[in-house]
Amino acid sequence: MGELIFGSTGVWFMMGAALVFFMQAGFAMVESGFTRAKNAGNIIMKNLMDFCVGTVVFVFLGAGLLLGEDALFGLIGIPNLDLFKDFGGYDWGNFVFNLVFCATAATIVSGAMAERTKFSSYLIYSAVISAVVYPIEAHWVWGGGWLTRLGANLFGEGAPEYVDFAGSSAIHMVGGLSALIGAIILGPRIGKYVKNKDGSVKVNAIPGHSITLGALGVFILWFGWYGFNGAAAADSTSLAQIFGTTTLAAGVATCSTMIFTWVKNGKPDVSMTLNGSLAGLVAITAGCANVDALGAIIIGLISGILVVVAVEVIDLKFHIDDPVGAVAVHCVNGMFGTIAVGLFDYNDGVFYGGGFKLLAIQTIGVLAIALWTVVTMTITFKIIEKTNGLRVSKEEEIKGLDSTEHGLINAYADFACAVEHLYDGDEEAAEITGSVPVDEAVPVQLASAPAPNTAVASDVKMTKIEIICKQNRFEALKNAMTGIGITGMTVTNVLGFGTQGGGKERYRGVEVEVNLLPKIQVEIVVCKVPVKTVIDTAKKVLYTGNIGDGKIFVYDVENVIKVRTGEEGYDALQDVE
């Protein structure tokens, strides 16, 4: 019965693989939400093709390298036609299971290199990771490679062996380290880092377009992680432990990130807290079956703080542009989580009386996998850069990859993406703007101005009053205006800031200089109700004595025409039939 549920062809084993596949949707939502709307379609396409391209190269080559069996073309390019008939004796369960994990390693790279990478280049390096880079190092860990015997070779029979139960190092560190190398070679997005006249570098925040999508992605990933960590469980007892340690680490990490950013910045950071959840999940992945509740809590606590520190150091100190925090989440916490097994393994960990053997083995394994990844991925990115090219042009980057790479107007039907803001002092952006001389611009056709003292349709003076106020004061303002006889108004949701710049806020540890605050704009045209009455009433309702109470603008109105009846002036303002 146990084999039917947990074996390599067992029901739970295959369900776990399906959950890991569903994590592709989570990565797509996190990455698209944390980047700008003009690139959302490109992000979705990359996450889709990660798995599909990965499937093709994995069946041809990667599976053979990982599992130590013949792939479709073996290691020397000779076709194995038996695979077309019975898959060459492969265990289908192991193939599918390892395939979905392989796709995860590849898709991590997407977020750190988002918004400026050629789609064709992305497909190339995704194929390389899935065909060669991941399968070889995963074979070291799970396919009978040298890491599976490292402890015995170093310390003799009976010594602990390298532990990475579900892939903190083999998957997450490899993906995160590949993302780091790619982001360095690719360079930052236009406007992210601007050099000041004194030589210092100004770091600009580029907020993602939808924290809601990012949060949905995190929930999907957390759900899928139960399959990611638990699919290889040997029995129901082990599965329950894995579910427990996974939940504890992620929950504690989320809390520690929230509290840390709250204390550090004065407010709990939403996007960073979402990264905290993922950091806890990554860190516990290596030891989920080998640590107890206390170990999981401590790992979660540290990873939640570590992700914030890593994001800010990578961005503010090293000026490496990682829009989604992939390097901090996957690389840094993948390393930490794997080494932490040497401390918290309840059989062989340092803190459980096991000595330093396992810690040494974990450290050697992490360094070896990291070295392999750095060498192979640096070569891969450099070759792509010199041949196909790695980065899109400045014009394409500013316009957005949805339209330039995929011919997609935007990913949100009739939603118009925000106009791109090019930061002051950005020399690269300046090369694109202002390319047409002023004297060649198309002349503007101006309507003739009305003659002075032109008579209007009514002798009654009309005045437009425009009120900008806080959203939470609108209902009171509307009721007050109705109470003094105002029968019509136009109401608009607007964004804006005054001389205070909307206050200093932070996005992922970076100060956002101008924060557009949500306001309500109310437009009223009066002729019968005295203007002073309207102003006094509005001031009375809106005044709190605090900055941001609003402003009132008063304009003379020359004429008003009612479209349906053709009435003008005072008559056009009356709605009585």
Side-chain angles (χ1 to χ4, degrees):
M1 178 61 71
E3 180 67 23
L4 291 176
I5 297 175
F6 290 99
S8 63
T9 57
V11 176
W12 168 247
F13 192 71
M14 290 292 91
M15 285 179 63
L19 287 173
V20 176
F21 167 75
F22 188 48
M23 290 173 71
Q24 291 290 131
F27 281 112
M29 294 301 98
V30 169
E31 292 169 16
S32 60
F34 280 16
T35 53
R36 290 168 289 189
K38 64 182 181 179
N39 299 305
N42 176 257
I43 294 289
I44 298 299
M45 192 71 167
K46 289 195 294 185
N47 280 271
L48 172 65
M49 297 313 299
D50 268 328
F51 185 81
C52 297
V53 171
T55 298
V56 173
V57 299
F58 193 72
V59 72
F60 272 63
L61 180 60
L65 295 175
L66 197 162
L67 299 173
E69 303 172 16
D70 288 335
L72 187 59
F73 285 95
L75 298 181
I76 57 176
I78 301 175
N80 180 358
L81 299 180
D82 287 339
L83 286 181
F84 288 112
K85 295 183 291 185
D86 61 1
F87 205 52
Y90 262 136
D91 180 336
W92 278 105
N94 275 333
F95 169 76
V96 173
F97 183 78
N98 283 284
L99 169 62
V100 294
F101 279 87
C102 179
T104 302
T107 203
I108 291 169
V109 185
S110 171
M113 299 177 66
E115 303 200 291
R116 71 268 201 207
T117 305
K118 282 186 176 181
F119 182 65
S120 58
S121 297
Y122 183 81
L123 296 179
I124 295 170
Y125 69 71
S126 180
V128 173
I129 293 174
S130 298
V132 179
V133 178
Y134 169 77
I136 289 178
E137 55 85 12
H139 174 75
W140 299 348
V141 180
W142 297 310
W146 66 276
L147 272 180
T148 60
R149 293 286 298 165
L150 179 60
N153 291 334
L154 288 178
F155 303 110
E157 294 297 330
E161 297 297 345
Y162 186 74
V163 177
D164 188 356
F165 186 80
S168 284
S169 63
I171 296 172
H172 293 284
M173 185 188 73
V174 168
L177 198 51
S178 300
L180 174 63
I181 297 165
I184 292 173
I185 295 174
L186 188 64
R189 291 167 291 174
I190 293 173
K192 177 61 179 173
Y193 306 111
V194 178
K195 185 171 289 188
N196 297 319
K197 293 180 179 180
D198 61 1
S200 62
V201 175
K202 180 174 178 289
V203 180
N204 292 303
I206 305 179
H209 82 281
S210 177
I211 292 296
T212 306
L213 279 182
L216 175 62
V218 169
F219 281 114
I220 292 173
L221 286 170
W222 194 327
F223 175 68
W225 228 287
Y226 290 117
F228 196 95
N229 284 359
D235 51 46
S236 58
T237 301
S238 175
L239 180 63
Q241 176 190 342
I242 291 168
F243 270 47
T245 54
T246 299
T247 305
L248 273 176
V252 172
T254 306
C255 292
S256 66
T257 300
M258 180 192 70
I259 294 170
F260 186 64
T261 58
W262 203 335
V263 172
K264 183 175 179 293
N265 301 327
K267 294 179 183 178
D269 189 307
V270 180
S271 68
M272 201 74 85
T273 303
L274 293 171
N275 274 158
S277 301
L278 301 180
L281 291 165
V282 169
I284 197 60
T285 293
C288 58
N290 298 72
V291 301
D292 57 19
L294 180 59
I297 290 171
I298 296 174
I299 289 172
L301 179 67
I302 296 173
S303 63
I305 296 173
L306 185 59
V307 70
V308 179
V309 175
V311 164
E312 295 192 0
V313 169
I314 290 167
D315 188 15
L316 302 178
K317 301 298 183 183
F318 294 125
H319 302 143
I320 299 170
D321 187 12
D322 177 3
V324 305
V327 177
V329 169
H330 298 280
C331 178
V332 175
N333 277 285
M335 287 181 176
F336 162 69
T338 308
I339 294 174
V341 176
L343 301 174
F344 298 104
D345 184 293
Y346 50 62
N347 290 317
D348 301 302
V350 173
F351 297 144
Y352 290 78
F356 289 88
K357 290 181 181 179
L358 180 58
L359 180 60
I361 292 167
Q362 296 296 105
T363 304
I364 292 171
V366 165
L367 292 176
I369 296 171
L371 180 62
W372 164 256
T373 305
V374 169
V375 171
T376 53
M377 289 311 299
T378 299
I379 294 172
T380 299
F381 283 125
K382 284 295 186 181
I383 291 175
I384 295 173
E385 184 183 38
K386 298 297 183 183
T387 54
N388 186 69
L390 195 57
R391 183 167 182 151
V392 299
S393 68
K394 299 183 181 75
E395 292 85 354
E396 290 172 324
E397 182 178 343
I398 289 176
K399 190 173 182 181
L401 303 189
D402 283 4
S403 60
T404 59
E405 289 279 85
H406 307 285
L408 181 67
I409 296 175
N410 64 69
Y412 293 94
D414 59 353
F415 169 76
C417 298
V419 176
E420 182 66 19
H421 173 64
L422 301 180
Y423 295 93
D424 293 336
D426 184 357
E427 295 178 0
E428 291 185 329
E431 294 176 7
I432 301 168
T433 58
S435 57
V436 178
V438 174
D439 57 4
E440 294 181 16
V442 177
V444 178
Q445 301 298 320
L446 299 176
S448 58
N453 303 319
T454 301
V456 297
S458 172
D459 293 332
V460 179
K461 177 176 172 57
M462 295 177 294
T463 305
K464 178 182 177 182
I465 302 169
E466 188 176 283
I467 304 168
I468 308 293
C469 67
K470 294 178 180 177
Q471 290 180 323
N472 61 2
R473 302 304 299 162
F474 169 67
E475 198 65 28
L477 177 66
K478 181 184 70 174
N479 294 335
M481 292 296 106
T482 303
I484 62 173
I486 300 298
T487 58
M489 63 178 67
T490 300
V491 181
T492 310
N493 282 299
V494 296
L495 295 172
F497 66 93
T499 55
Q500 292 80 22
K504 296 294 184 182
E505 301 294 344
R506 304 183 78 85
Y507 176 77
R508 302 179 68 77
V510 179
E511 196 172 81
V512 181
E513 290 189 351
V514 176
N515 184 31
L516 297 178
L517 300 177
K519 297 283 188 178
I520 293 290
Q521 178 177 302
V522 179
E523 297 174 275
I524 303 169
V525 176
V526 298
C527 55
K528 187 176 181 180
V529 179
V531 174
K532 189 175 187 306
T533 301
V534 176
I535 294 173
D536 290 344
T537 303
K539 288 171 63 178
K540 183 178 180 181
V541 171
L542 300 178
Y543 179 78
T544 66
N546 297 316
I547 293 173
D549 277 346
K551 287 184 173 64
I552 301 172
F553 302 89
V554 181
Y555 309 89
D556 287 334
V557 177
E558 182 178 333
N559 197 6
V560 177
I561 298 96
K562 183 183 288 187
V563 174
R564 180 174 60 88
T565 64
E567 294 171 295
E568 299 188 22
Y570 173 84
D571 295 332
L573 295 177
Q574 311 310 306
D575 291 325
V576 179
E577 295 295 336

